[in-house]
Amino acid sequence: MKKTLFLAIALMSGSVMAATDHYLLRDGNHVQHLKINAVGNDTNVTVDVDFEPNPDEAGKHACSALISGEAKVIAENELVLKKHIEGEARSCSVKVHLTPNGAKLEQSEECTYFAAGICKFASDGKELLKIK
C-alpha cells in the first residue's frame, strides 16, 4: 500500500513543469552568473559573481558574492529578487530584465551589503548571455 501511494505521488509530481536557465557574462576578469529555476508557479533566482581586479582596478581586492531566493514575476520578461538584510529594515533588490538572447541585471543601493568592493550584481547595461 505504501509503495503504491508513493508511486502515485511521484507520478503526479512529475506533471509539474520545471525549467532552469543559466546566463553568463565575462567582462575582463569579472564573471557574473544568473540561474533562474521555475517549477510550476514558483520562480527562484540565484546570482553569483566572482570579480578579480581588471588592469584599471589596480589596488582593488578580488571578491565573490551570491544572492538567491524566490523571485516575483513582475512582467513576462521581468523578475525581482528581494533579499532582506538581516537585523535591518532594508532589502537588496535585484531586477532581472530578460531579453531574447539573455538578461540584464539592476541592483538597489542596499545590495552593497551582500556584494562589497568591486563586486556587484548589476550588469551595467551589459547582457548576460543565455547558455544553451
Side-chain angles (χ1 to χ4, degrees), residues 49-94:
V49 296
D50 290 304
F51 283 23
E52 292 285 334
N54 283 321
D56 63 336
E57 297 171 321
K60 303 285 183 174
H61 299 285
C63 59
S64 295
L66 180 129
I67 189 170
S68 67
E70 189 170 343
K72 284 187 178 183
V73 178
I74 302 302
E76 184 179 335
N77 61 348
E78 189 174 334
L79 307 169
V80 175
L81 167 65
K82 285 191 176 188
K83 192 70 171 182
H84 180 76
I85 298 172
E86 202 171 311
E88 299 207 18
R90 299 181 297 152
S91 296
C92 164
S93 294
V94 176

Side-chain angles (χ1 to χ4, degrees), residues 10-51:
L11 289 174
M12 287 180 5
S13 65
S15 66
V16 174
M17 297 300 286
T20 301
D21 292 318
H22 292 269
Y23 303 82
L24 188 68
L25 172 65
R26 178 179 285 275
D27 185 20
N29 295 329
H30 300 179
V31 177
Q32 293 175 289
H33 173 244
L34 167 68
K35 176 181 163 186
I36 301 174
N37 185 19
V39 178
N41 292 330
D42 295 331
T43 303
N44 288 296
V45 171
T46 301
V47 183
D48 62 278
V49 296
D50 290 304
F51 283 23

Side-chain angles (χ1 to χ4, degrees), residues 96-110:
V96 179
H97 301 280
L98 299 172
T99 66
N101 297 319
K104 294 180 182 181
L105 305 176
E106 295 177 25
Q107 73 176 42
S108 66
E109 186 178 320
E110 290 82 7

